Coordinates of all heavy atoms in Angstrom, one line a residue:
M1 N -51.1 -1.3 -31.2 CA -49.8 -0.8 -31.7 C -50.0 -0.2 -33.0 O -50.6 -0.7 -33.9 CB -48.9 -2.1 -31.8 CG -47.5 -1.8 -32.2 SD -46.6 -3.3 -32.2 CE -46.6 -3.7 -34.0
A2 N -49.4 1.1 -33.2 CA -49.6 1.7 -34.5 C -48.6 1.1 -35.4 O -47.4 0.9 -35.2 CB -49.2 3.2 -34.3
I3 N -49.1 0.7 -36.6 CA -48.3 0.2 -37.6 C -48.7 0.7 -39.0 O -49.9 0.9 -39.2 CB -48.3 -1.4 -37.6 CG1 -47.4 -2.0 -38.6 CG2 -49.8 -1.9 -37.8 CD1 -47.1 -3.5 -38.4
A4 N -47.7 1.0 -39.8 CA -47.9 1.7 -41.1 C -48.5 0.8 -42.2 O -48.0 -0.3 -42.3 CB -46.7 2.4 -41.5
E5 N -49.4 1.3 -42.9 CA -49.9 0.6 -44.1 C -48.8 0.7 -45.2 O -48.2 1.8 -45.3 CB -51.2 1.2 -44.6 CG -51.8 0.4 -45.8 CD -53.2 0.9 -46.2 OE1 -53.6 2.0 -45.7 OE2 -53.8 0.2 -47.0
L6 N -48.6 -0.3 -46.0 CA -47.6 -0.3 -47.0 C -48.1 0.7 -48.1 O -49.2 0.8 -48.4 CB -47.5 -1.7 -47.7 CG -46.9 -2.9 -46.8 CD1 -46.9 -4.1 -47.7 CD2 -45.6 -2.5 -46.3
T7 N -47.1 1.4 -48.7 CA -47.4 2.2 -49.9 C -47.6 1.3 -51.0 O -47.2 0.1 -51.0 CB -46.2 3.1 -50.2 OG1 -45.1 2.3 -50.6 CG2 -45.8 4.0 -49.0
P8 N -48.2 1.7 -52.1 CA -48.4 0.8 -53.3 C -47.1 0.3 -53.8 O -47.0 -0.9 -54.1 CB -49.0 1.8 -54.3 CG -49.8 2.7 -53.5 CD -49.0 3.0 -52.2
A9 N -46.0 1.1 -53.7 CA -44.7 0.6 -54.2 C -44.2 -0.5 -53.3 O -43.7 -1.6 -53.7 CB -43.7 1.7 -54.3
E10 N -44.3 -0.3 -52.0 CA -43.9 -1.3 -51.0 C -44.7 -2.6 -51.2 O -44.2 -3.7 -51.1 CB -44.0 -0.8 -49.6 CG -43.1 0.3 -49.2 CD -43.4 1.0 -47.9 OE1 -44.7 1.0 -47.6 OE2 -42.5 1.4 -47.2
R11 N -46.0 -2.4 -51.4 CA -46.9 -3.5 -51.6 C -46.5 -4.4 -52.8 O -46.3 -5.6 -52.7 CB -48.3 -3.0 -51.7 CG -49.4 -4.0 -51.8 CD -50.7 -3.3 -52.3 NE -50.6 -2.8 -53.6 CZ -51.3 -1.8 -54.1 NH1 -52.2 -1.2 -53.4 NH2 -51.2 -1.5 -55.4
D12 N -46.2 -3.7 -53.9 CA -45.9 -4.4 -55.1 C -44.5 -5.1 -55.0 O -44.3 -6.2 -55.4 CB -45.8 -3.4 -56.3 CG -47.2 -2.9 -56.6 OD1 -48.2 -3.4 -56.1 OD2 -47.3 -1.9 -57.3
A13 N -43.6 -4.5 -54.2 CA -42.3 -5.1 -54.0 C -42.4 -6.3 -53.1 O -41.9 -7.4 -53.4 CB -41.4 -4.1 -53.3
A14 N -43.3 -6.3 -52.1 CA -43.5 -7.4 -51.2 C -44.1 -8.6 -52.0 O -43.7 -9.7 -51.9 CB -44.4 -7.0 -50.1
L15 N -45.1 -8.2 -52.9 CA -45.8 -9.3 -53.6 C -44.9 -9.9 -54.6 O -45.0 -11.1 -55.0 CB -47.0 -8.7 -54.4 CG -48.3 -8.7 -53.6 CD1 -49.4 -8.1 -54.4 CD2 -48.7 -10.2 -53.3
A16 N -43.9 -9.2 -55.1 CA -42.9 -9.7 -56.1 C -42.2 -11.0 -55.6 O -42.0 -11.9 -56.3 CB -41.9 -8.7 -56.5
D17 N -42.0 -10.9 -54.2 CA -41.3 -12.1 -53.6 C -42.3 -13.1 -53.1 O -41.9 -14.2 -52.6 CB -40.5 -11.5 -52.4 CG -39.4 -10.6 -52.8 OD1 -39.0 -10.7 -54.0 OD2 -39.0 -9.8 -52.0
L18 N -43.6 -12.9 -53.2 CA -44.6 -13.8 -52.7 C -45.4 -14.3 -53.9 O -46.6 -14.1 -54.0 CB -45.4 -13.1 -51.7 CG -44.7 -12.7 -50.4 CD1 -45.6 -11.7 -49.6 CD2 -44.4 -13.9 -49.6
G19 N -44.7 -15.1 -54.7 CA -45.3 -15.5 -56.0 C -46.6 -16.2 -55.9 O -47.4 -16.0 -56.9
E20 N -46.9 -16.9 -54.9 CA -48.2 -17.6 -54.8 C -49.3 -16.8 -54.2 O -50.5 -17.3 -54.2 CB -48.0 -18.9 -54.0 CG -46.9 -19.8 -54.6 CD -47.2 -20.3 -56.0 OE1 -48.3 -20.7 -56.3 OE2 -46.2 -20.3 -56.8
W21 N -49.0 -15.7 -53.7 CA -50.0 -14.9 -53.0 C -50.6 -13.8 -54.0 O -49.8 -13.3 -54.8 CB -49.4 -14.2 -51.8 CG -49.1 -15.2 -50.7 CD1 -48.0 -16.0 -50.7 CD2 -49.8 -15.4 -49.5 NE1 -48.0 -16.8 -49.5 CE2 -49.1 -16.4 -48.8 CE3 -51.0 -14.9 -49.0 CZ2 -49.5 -16.9 -47.6 CZ3 -51.4 -15.4 -47.7 CH2 -50.7 -16.4 -47.0
T22 N -51.8 -13.5 -53.9 CA -52.4 -12.5 -54.7 C -53.0 -11.4 -53.9 O -53.5 -11.6 -52.8 CB -53.5 -13.1 -55.6 OG1 -54.5 -13.7 -54.8 CG2 -52.9 -14.1 -56.6
L23 N -53.1 -10.2 -54.5 CA -53.7 -9.0 -53.8 C -55.2 -9.3 -53.8 O -55.8 -9.8 -54.7 CB -53.4 -7.8 -54.7 CG -53.1 -6.5 -54.0 CD1 -52.1 -6.6 -52.8 CD2 -52.6 -5.5 -55.0
A24 N -55.8 -8.8 -52.7 CA -57.3 -9.0 -52.6 C -57.8 -7.7 -51.9 O -57.1 -6.9 -51.4 CB -57.6 -10.2 -51.8
R25 N -59.1 -7.7 -51.8 CA -59.8 -6.6 -51.1 C -59.3 -5.2 -51.5 O -58.9 -4.4 -50.6 CB -59.7 -6.8 -49.6 CG -60.4 -8.1 -49.2 CD -60.4 -8.2 -47.6 NE -60.4 -9.6 -47.2 CZ -60.2 -10.0 -46.0 NH1 -60.0 -9.2 -45.0 NH2 -60.2 -11.3 -45.7
E26 N -59.2 -5.0 -52.8 CA -58.7 -3.7 -53.3 C -57.4 -3.3 -52.7 O -57.2 -2.1 -52.3 CB -59.8 -2.6 -53.1 CG -61.1 -2.9 -53.9 CD -62.2 -1.9 -53.5 OE1 -62.1 -1.2 -52.6 OE2 -63.2 -1.9 -54.3
G27 N -56.5 -4.3 -52.6 CA -55.1 -4.0 -52.1 C -55.0 -4.0 -50.6 O -53.9 -3.7 -50.1
K28 N -56.1 -4.3 -49.9 CA -56.0 -4.2 -48.5 C -55.6 -5.6 -47.8 O -55.4 -5.6 -46.6 CB -57.4 -3.8 -47.9 CG -57.8 -2.4 -48.3 CD -57.0 -1.4 -47.6 CE -57.5 0.0 -47.9 NZ -56.6 1.1 -47.3
A29 N -55.5 -6.6 -48.7 CA -55.2 -7.9 -48.2 C -54.4 -8.7 -49.2 O -54.4 -8.3 -50.4 CB -56.4 -8.7 -47.7
I30 N -53.7 -9.8 -48.8 CA -53.2 -10.8 -49.7 C -53.8 -12.1 -49.4 O -54.1 -12.3 -48.2 CB -51.6 -10.8 -49.7 CG1 -51.1 -11.0 -48.3 CG2 -51.0 -9.6 -50.3 CD1 -49.6 -11.2 -48.2
E31 N -53.9 -13.0 -50.4 CA -54.5 -14.3 -50.1 C -53.8 -15.4 -50.9 O -53.2 -15.1 -51.9 CB -56.0 -14.2 -50.3 CG -56.4 -13.9 -51.7 CD -58.0 -13.8 -51.8 OE1 -58.6 -13.4 -50.8 OE2 -58.4 -13.9 -53.0
R32 N -54.0 -16.6 -50.4 CA -53.4 -17.7 -51.1 C -54.3 -18.9 -50.7 O -54.7 -19.1 -49.5 CB -52.0 -18.0 -50.7 CG -51.4 -19.2 -51.4 CD -49.9 -19.5 -51.1 NE -49.5 -20.7 -51.7 CZ -48.3 -21.3 -51.7 NH1 -47.4 -20.7 -50.9 NH2 -48.0 -22.4 -52.3
T33 N -54.5 -19.8 -51.6 CA -55.2 -21.1 -51.4 C -54.2 -22.2 -51.4 O -53.4 -22.3 -52.3 CB -56.3 -21.3 -52.4 OG1 -57.3 -20.2 -52.3 CG2 -57.1 -22.6 -52.2
F34 N -54.3 -23.1 -50.4 CA -53.4 -24.3 -50.3 C -54.3 -25.6 -50.5 O -55.4 -25.6 -49.9 CB -52.8 -24.3 -48.9 CG -52.0 -23.1 -48.6 CD1 -52.6 -21.9 -48.1 CD2 -50.6 -23.1 -48.8 CE1 -51.9 -20.8 -47.8 CE2 -49.9 -21.9 -48.5 CZ -50.5 -20.8 -48.0
A35 N -53.7 -26.6 -51.1 CA -54.4 -27.8 -51.3 C -53.5 -28.9 -50.8 O -52.3 -29.0 -51.2 CB -54.8 -28.1 -52.7
F36 N -54.0 -29.8 -49.9 CA -53.2 -30.9 -49.3 C -53.8 -32.2 -49.7 O -54.8 -32.3 -50.4 CB -53.2 -30.7 -47.8 CG -52.6 -29.4 -47.4 CD1 -53.3 -28.3 -47.2 CD2 -51.2 -29.3 -47.2 CE1 -52.7 -27.0 -46.9 CE2 -50.6 -28.1 -46.8 CZ -51.4 -27.0 -46.6
A37 N -53.1 -33.3 -49.3 CA -53.5 -34.7 -49.7 C -54.9 -35.0 -49.1 O -55.7 -35.7 -49.7 CB -52.5 -35.7 -49.2
D38 N -55.1 -34.5 -47.9 CA -56.4 -34.9 -47.2 C -56.6 -33.9 -46.1 O -55.8 -33.0 -45.9 CB -56.3 -36.3 -46.7 CG -55.1 -36.6 -45.8 OD1 -54.6 -35.6 -45.2 OD2 -54.6 -37.7 -45.8
F39 N -57.7 -34.1 -45.4 CA -58.0 -33.2 -44.3 C -56.9 -33.2 -43.2 O -56.6 -32.1 -42.7 CB -59.3 -33.6 -43.6 CG -59.7 -32.8 -42.4 CD1 -60.1 -31.5 -42.5 CD2 -59.5 -33.3 -41.2 CE1 -60.4 -30.7 -41.4 CE2 -59.8 -32.6 -40.0 CZ -60.2 -31.2 -40.1
S40 N -56.4 -34.4 -42.9 CA -55.4 -34.5 -41.8 C -54.2 -33.6 -42.1 O -53.7 -32.9 -41.3 CB -55.0 -35.9 -41.6 OG -54.0 -36.0 -40.6
E41 N -53.7 -33.7 -43.4 CA -52.6 -32.8 -43.8 C -52.9 -31.3 -43.7 O -52.1 -30.5 -43.3 CB -52.2 -33.2 -45.2 CG -51.5 -34.6 -45.3 CD -50.3 -34.7 -44.5 OE1 -49.4 -33.8 -44.7 OE2 -50.2 -35.7 -43.7
A42 N -54.1 -31.0 -44.1 CA -54.6 -29.6 -44.1 C -54.6 -29.1 -42.7 O -54.1 -28.0 -42.4 CB -55.9 -29.5 -44.8
F43 N -55.2 -29.9 -41.8 CA -55.3 -29.5 -40.4 C -54.0 -29.4 -39.7 O -53.7 -28.5 -38.9 CB -56.3 -30.4 -39.6 CG -56.8 -29.7 -38.4 CD1 -57.9 -28.8 -38.5 CD2 -56.2 -29.9 -37.2 CE1 -58.3 -28.2 -37.3 CE2 -56.6 -29.3 -36.0 CZ -57.7 -28.4 -36.1
A44 N -53.1 -30.3 -40.0 CA -51.7 -30.2 -39.5 C -51.0 -28.9 -39.9 O -50.4 -28.3 -39.0 CB -50.9 -31.4 -39.9
F45 N -51.2 -28.5 -41.1 CA -50.7 -27.3 -41.6 C -51.3 -26.1 -40.8 O -50.6 -25.2 -40.4 CB -50.9 -27.1 -43.1 CG -50.7 -25.8 -43.7 CD1 -49.4 -25.3 -43.9 CD2 -51.7 -24.9 -44.0 CE1 -49.1 -24.1 -44.4 CE2 -51.5 -23.7 -44.6 CZ -50.2 -23.2 -44.8
M46 N -52.6 -26.1 -40.6 CA -53.3 -25.1 -39.9 C -52.8 -25.0 -38.5 O -52.6 -23.9 -37.9 CB -54.8 -25.3 -39.9 CG -55.4 -25.2 -41.3 SD -57.2 -25.5 -41.3 CE -57.8 -24.1 -40.5
T47 N -52.5 -26.1 -37.9 CA -51.9 -26.1 -36.5 C -50.6 -25.4 -36.5 O -50.3 -24.6 -35.6 CB -51.8 -27.6 -36.0 OG1 -53.0 -28.2 -36.1 CG2 -51.2 -27.6 -34.6
R48 N -49.7 -25.7 -37.5 CA -48.4 -25.0 -37.6 C -48.6 -23.5 -37.8 O -48.0 -22.6 -37.1 CB -47.6 -25.6 -38.7 CG -47.3 -27.0 -38.5 CD -46.1 -27.5 -39.4 NE -46.4 -27.4 -40.8 CZ -47.1 -28.4 -41.5 NH1 -47.5 -29.5 -40.9 NH2 -47.3 -28.3 -42.8
V49 N -49.6 -23.1 -38.6 CA -49.8 -21.7 -38.9 C -50.4 -21.0 -37.6 O -50.0 -19.9 -37.2 CB -50.8 -21.5 -40.0 CG1 -51.2 -20.0 -40.2 CG2 -50.2 -22.0 -41.3
A50 N -51.2 -21.7 -36.9 CA -51.8 -21.2 -35.6 C -50.7 -20.9 -34.6 O -50.7 -19.8 -34.0 CB -52.8 -22.1 -35.1
L51 N -49.8 -21.8 -34.5 CA -48.7 -21.5 -33.5 C -47.8 -20.4 -34.0 O -47.4 -19.5 -33.2 CB -47.9 -22.8 -33.4 CG -48.6 -24.0 -32.7 CD1 -47.8 -25.3 -32.8 CD2 -49.0 -23.6 -31.2
L52 N -47.6 -20.3 -35.3 CA -46.8 -19.2 -35.8 C -47.6 -17.9 -35.6 O -47.0 -16.9 -35.1 CB -46.7 -19.4 -37.3 CG -46.1 -18.2 -38.1 CD1 -44.6 -18.1 -37.8 CD2 -46.3 -18.4 -39.6
A53 N -48.8 -17.8 -35.8 CA -49.6 -16.6 -35.6 C -49.6 -16.2 -34.1 O -49.4 -15.0 -33.8 CB -51.1 -16.9 -36.0
E54 N -49.6 -17.1 -33.2 CA -49.5 -16.7 -31.8 C -48.1 -16.2 -31.5 O -48.0 -15.2 -30.8 CB -49.8 -18.0 -31.0 CG -51.3 -18.2 -30.7 CD -52.0 -17.0 -30.0 OE1 -51.9 -17.0 -28.8 OE2 -52.5 -16.2 -30.7
S55 N -47.1 -16.8 -32.1 CA -45.7 -16.3 -31.8 C -45.5 -14.9 -32.4 O -44.7 -14.2 -31.8 CB -44.7 -17.3 -32.4 OG -44.7 -17.2 -33.8
Q56 N -46.2 -14.6 -33.5 CA -46.0 -13.3 -34.2 C -47.0 -12.3 -33.7 O -47.0 -11.1 -34.1 CB -46.1 -13.5 -35.7 CG -45.1 -14.4 -36.3 CD -43.6 -13.9 -36.0 OE1 -43.3 -12.8 -36.3 NE2 -42.8 -14.7 -35.4
D57 N -48.0 -12.7 -32.9 CA -49.2 -11.9 -32.6 C -49.8 -11.3 -33.8 O -50.1 -10.1 -33.9 CB -48.7 -10.8 -31.6 CG -50.0 -10.1 -31.0 OD1 -51.0 -10.7 -30.9 OD2 -49.8 -8.9 -30.7
H58 N -49.9 -12.1 -34.9 CA -50.5 -11.6 -36.1 C -51.3 -12.8 -36.7 O -50.7 -13.9 -36.9 CB -49.4 -11.2 -37.1 CG -49.9 -10.4 -38.2 ND1 -50.4 -9.1 -38.1 CD2 -50.0 -10.6 -39.6 CE1 -50.8 -8.6 -39.2 NE2 -50.6 -9.5 -40.2
H59 N -52.6 -12.6 -36.9 CA -53.5 -13.7 -37.1 C -54.1 -13.7 -38.5 O -54.6 -12.7 -38.9 CB -54.5 -13.8 -36.0 CG -53.9 -13.9 -34.6 ND1 -53.4 -12.8 -34.0 CD2 -53.6 -14.9 -33.8 CE1 -52.8 -13.1 -32.8 NE2 -52.9 -14.4 -32.7
P60 N -54.2 -14.9 -39.1 CA -54.8 -15.0 -40.4 C -56.3 -14.9 -40.3 O -56.9 -15.2 -39.3 CB -54.4 -16.3 -40.9 CG -54.3 -17.2 -39.7 CD -53.7 -16.2 -38.6
E61 N -56.9 -14.6 -41.5 CA -58.4 -14.8 -41.7 C -58.4 -16.0 -42.6 O -57.8 -15.9 -43.7 CB -59.0 -13.6 -42.3 CG -58.9 -12.3 -41.4 CD -59.5 -11.1 -42.1 OE1 -60.2 -11.2 -43.0 OE2 -59.1 -10.0 -41.6
W62 N -59.0 -17.1 -42.2 CA -58.8 -18.3 -43.0 C -60.1 -19.2 -42.9 O -61.0 -19.0 -42.1 CB -57.6 -19.1 -42.5 CG -57.5 -19.4 -41.1 CD1 -58.3 -19.0 -40.0 CD2 -56.4 -20.1 -40.5 NE1 -57.8 -19.5 -38.9 CE2 -56.6 -20.2 -39.1 CE3 -55.3 -20.8 -41.0 CZ2 -55.8 -20.8 -38.3 CZ3 -54.4 -21.5 -40.2 CH2 -54.7 -21.5 -38.8
S63 N -60.1 -20.1 -44.0 CA -61.2 -21.1 -44.0 C -60.6 -22.4 -44.4 O -59.6 -22.5 -45.1 CB -62.3 -20.6 -45.0 OG -61.7 -20.6 -46.3
N64 N -61.3 -23.5 -44.1 CA -60.8 -24.8 -44.4 C -62.0 -25.6 -44.9 O -63.1 -25.7 -44.2 CB -60.2 -25.5 -43.2 CG -60.1 -27.0 -43.3 OD1 -60.7 -27.7 -42.5 ND2 -59.4 -27.5 -44.3
V65 N -61.9 -26.2 -46.1 CA -62.9 -27.2 -46.5 C -62.1 -28.5 -46.9 O -61.4 -28.5 -47.9 CB -63.7 -26.7 -47.8 CG1 -64.7 -27.7 -48.2 CG2 -64.4 -25.4 -47.4
Y66 N -62.3 -29.5 -46.1 CA -61.6 -30.8 -46.3 C -60.1 -30.6 -46.5 O -59.4 -30.3 -45.5 CB -62.2 -31.6 -47.5 CG -61.6 -32.9 -47.7 CD1 -61.5 -33.8 -46.7 CD2 -61.0 -33.2 -49.0 CE1 -60.8 -35.1 -46.9 CE2 -60.3 -34.4 -49.2 CZ -60.3 -35.3 -48.1 OH -59.6 -36.5 -48.3
N67 N -59.5 -30.7 -47.7 CA -58.1 -30.6 -47.9 C -57.6 -29.3 -48.4 O -56.4 -29.1 -48.7 CB -57.6 -31.7 -48.9 CG -58.1 -31.4 -50.3 OD1 -59.2 -30.9 -50.5 ND2 -57.2 -31.5 -51.3
R68 N -58.5 -28.3 -48.4 CA -58.1 -27.0 -48.9 C -58.2 -25.9 -47.7 O -59.1 -26.0 -46.9 CB -59.1 -26.5 -50.0 CG -59.0 -27.5 -51.2 CD -60.0 -27.1 -52.3 NE -59.7 -25.8 -52.9 CZ -58.8 -25.7 -53.9 NH1 -58.1 -26.8 -54.3 NH2 -58.5 -24.6 -54.4
V69 N -57.2 -25.1 -47.7 CA -57.1 -24.0 -46.8 C -56.9 -22.7 -47.5 O -56.1 -22.6 -48.4 CB -55.9 -24.2 -45.8 CG1 -55.8 -23.1 -44.8 CG2 -56.0 -25.5 -45.1
E70 N -57.8 -21.7 -47.2 CA -57.7 -20.4 -47.8 C -57.3 -19.4 -46.7 O -57.9 -19.4 -45.7 CB -59.0 -20.0 -48.4 CG -59.4 -20.8 -49.6 CD -60.7 -20.3 -50.3 OE1 -61.2 -19.2 -49.9 OE2 -61.2 -21.0 -51.2
I71 N -56.2 -18.7 -47.0 CA -55.7 -17.7 -46.0 C -55.7 -16.3 -46.6 O -55.2 -16.1 -47.7 CB -54.3 -18.1 -45.6 CG1 -54.3 -19.5 -44.9 CG2 -53.7 -17.1 -44.6 CD1 -53.0 -20.0 -44.4
A72 N -56.2 -15.4 -45.8 CA -56.1 -14.0 -46.2 C -55.3 -13.3 -45.0 O -55.5 -13.6 -43.9 CB -57.4 -13.3 -46.4
L73 N -54.4 -12.4 -45.4 CA -53.7 -11.6 -44.4 C -53.9 -10.1 -44.6 O -53.8 -9.6 -45.7 CB -52.2 -11.9 -44.6 CG -51.7 -13.4 -44.3 CD1 -50.3 -13.6 -44.7 CD2 -52.0 -13.8 -42.9
T74 N -54.2 -9.5 -43.5 CA -54.3 -8.0 -43.5 C -54.0 -7.6 -42.1 O -54.0 -8.4 -41.2 CB -55.7 -7.6 -44.0 OG1 -55.7 -6.1 -44.1 CG2 -56.8 -8.0 -43.0
T75 N -53.6 -6.3 -42.0 CA -53.3 -5.8 -40.6 C -54.4 -4.9 -40.2 O -54.5 -3.8 -40.6 CB -51.9 -5.1 -40.6 OG1 -50.9 -6.0 -41.1 CG2 -51.6 -4.6 -39.3
H76 N -55.2 -5.4 -39.2 CA -56.3 -4.6 -38.8 C -55.9 -3.2 -38.2 O -56.4 -2.2 -38.5 CB -57.1 -5.4 -37.7 CG -57.4 -6.8 -38.1 ND1 -57.1 -7.9 -37.3 CD2 -57.9 -7.3 -39.2 CE1 -57.4 -9.0 -37.9 NE2 -57.9 -8.7 -39.1
D77 N -54.7 -3.3 -37.5 CA -54.2 -2.1 -36.9 C -53.8 -1.0 -37.9 O -53.6 0.1 -37.5 CB -53.1 -2.4 -35.9 CG -53.6 -3.2 -34.7 OD1 -54.8 -3.4 -34.6 OD2 -52.7 -3.8 -34.0
A78 N -53.5 -1.5 -39.1 CA -53.0 -0.5 -40.2 C -54.1 -0.2 -41.2 O -53.9 0.6 -42.0 CB -51.8 -1.1 -40.9
G79 N -55.2 -0.9 -41.1 CA -56.3 -0.7 -42.0 C -56.0 -1.2 -43.4 O -56.5 -0.7 -44.4
G80 N -55.0 -2.1 -43.5 CA -54.7 -2.7 -44.8 C -53.4 -3.5 -44.7 O -53.2 -4.2 -43.6
L81 N -52.6 -3.5 -45.7 CA -51.4 -4.4 -45.7 C -50.2 -3.7 -45.0 O -50.0 -2.5 -45.2 CB -51.0 -4.7 -47.1 CG -51.8 -5.7 -47.9 CD1 -51.3 -5.8 -49.3 CD2 -51.6 -7.1 -47.2
S82 N -49.5 -4.4 -44.2 CA -48.3 -3.9 -43.5 C -47.2 -4.9 -43.7 O -47.4 -6.0 -44.3 CB -48.5 -3.7 -42.0 OG -48.6 -5.0 -41.4
Q83 N -46.0 -4.6 -43.3 CA -44.9 -5.5 -43.4 C -45.2 -6.8 -42.6 O -44.6 -7.9 -43.0 CB -43.6 -4.9 -42.8 CG -42.9 -3.9 -43.8 CD -42.5 -4.5 -45.2 OE1 -42.5 -5.7 -45.3 NE2 -42.3 -3.6 -46.1
R84 N -46.0 -6.7 -41.6 CA -46.3 -7.9 -40.9 C -47.0 -9.0 -41.7 O -46.8 -10.2 -41.6 CB -47.2 -7.6 -39.7 CG -46.5 -6.7 -38.7 CD -47.3 -6.3 -37.5 NE -47.5 -7.4 -36.6 CZ -48.1 -7.3 -35.4 NH1 -48.5 -6.1 -35.0 NH2 -48.2 -8.4 -34.6
D85 N -47.8 -8.5 -42.7 CA -48.5 -9.4 -43.6 C -47.5 -10.1 -44.5 O -47.5 -11.3 -44.8 CB -49.6 -8.7 -44.4 CG -50.6 -8.1 -43.4 OD1 -51.2 -8.9 -42.6 OD2 -50.8 -6.9 -43.5
A86 N -46.6 -9.3 -45.1 CA -45.5 -9.9 -46.0 C -44.7 -10.9 -45.2 O -44.4 -12.0 -45.7 CB -44.7 -8.8 -46.6
S87 N -44.3 -10.5 -44.0 CA -43.5 -11.4 -43.2 C -44.2 -12.7 -42.9 O -43.7 -13.8 -43.0 CB -43.0 -10.8 -41.9 OG -42.3 -9.6 -42.1
M88 N -45.5 -12.6 -42.5 CA -46.3 -13.7 -42.2 C -46.5 -14.6 -43.4 O -46.4 -15.9 -43.3 CB -47.6 -13.3 -41.6 CG -48.6 -14.4 -41.3 SD -48.1 -15.5 -40.0 CE -48.4 -14.5 -38.6
A89 N -46.7 -14.1 -44.5 CA -46.9 -14.9 -45.8 C -45.6 -15.7 -46.0 O -45.7 -16.9 -46.3 CB -47.2 -14.0 -47.0
R90 N -44.4 -15.1 -45.9 CA -43.2 -15.8 -46.1 C -43.0 -16.9 -45.1 O -42.7 -18.0 -45.4 CB -42.0 -14.8 -46.0 CG -41.7 -14.1 -47.3 CD -40.3 -13.3 -47.2 NE -40.4 -12.3 -46.2 CZ -40.9 -11.0 -46.5 NH1 -41.3 -10.8 -47.7 NH2 -40.9 -10.1 -45.5
A91 N -43.4 -16.6 -43.9 CA -43.3 -17.6 -42.8 C -44.3 -18.8 -43.0 O -43.9 -19.9 -42.8 CB -43.5 -17.0 -41.5
I92 N -45.4 -18.5 -43.5 CA -46.4 -19.5 -43.8 C -45.9 -20.4 -44.9 O -46.0 -21.6 -44.8 CB -47.8 -18.9 -44.1 CG1 -48.5 -18.3 -42.9 CG2 -48.7 -19.9 -44.8 CD1 -49.7 -17.5 -43.1
D93 N -45.4 -19.8 -46.0 CA -44.9 -20.6 -47.1 C -43.8 -21.5 -46.6 O -43.6 -22.7 -47.1 CB -44.4 -19.7 -48.2 CG -45.5 -19.0 -49.0 OD1 -46.7 -19.3 -48.7 OD2 -45.2 -18.1 -49.8
A94 N -43.0 -21.1 -45.6 CA -41.9 -21.9 -45.1 C -42.4 -23.1 -44.3 O -41.7 -24.0 -44.0 CB -41.0 -21.1 -44.2
L95 N -43.7 -23.1 -43.9 CA -44.3 -24.2 -43.2 C -44.8 -25.3 -44.1 O -45.3 -26.4 -43.6 CB -45.5 -23.7 -42.3 CG -45.1 -22.7 -41.2 CD1 -46.4 -22.2 -40.5 CD2 -44.2 -23.4 -40.2
L96 N -44.7 -25.1 -45.4 CA -45.2 -26.2 -46.3 C -44.3 -27.4 -46.3 O -43.1 -27.2 -46.1 CB -45.4 -25.6 -47.7 CG -46.6 -24.6 -47.8 CD1 -46.5 -23.9 -49.2 CD2 -47.9 -25.4 -47.7
Ligands
HBI1 N1 -53.6 -9.8 -36.5 N2 -54.0 -9.8 -38.8 C1 -53.9 -9.2 -37.6 N3 -53.9 -7.8 -37.6 C2 -53.8 -7.1 -36.5 O1 -53.8 -5.9 -36.5 C3 -53.5 -7.8 -35.3 C4 -53.5 -9.2 -35.3 N4 -53.3 -9.9 -34.2 C5 -53.1 -9.3 -32.9 C6 -53.1 -7.8 -32.9 N5 -53.3 -7.1 -34.1 C7 -52.8 -7.1 -31.7 O2 -51.6 -6.4 -31.7 C8 -53.9 -6.1 -31.4 O3 -55.1 -6.7 -31.4 C9 -53.7 -5.4 -30.0

């Protein structure tokens, strides 16, 4: 599916509302690190994100070490950031 990459202005506007997320990969991705009480809490969060990703057909690039989860969002089909990444970041924050 063709989807447009955000312009720098759109990117900066999206990030303004996503206070905990930072720009990465020279503006091609956004990322956030989450820390939970323990592995079980971290994995429960990852399960919720996984179901969200499937429902949105938009999938994170992520890693987990014990109680920490690192998530990066980018749109492969756009070759960088799209509105889908901003929407997904907001939806992920709502799963906390
Ligand atoms: N997830 N992050 C990300 N980026 C994509 O471009 C993407 C995806 N999940 C599924 C998906 N694209 C499909 O639309 C395409 O693989 C067909």
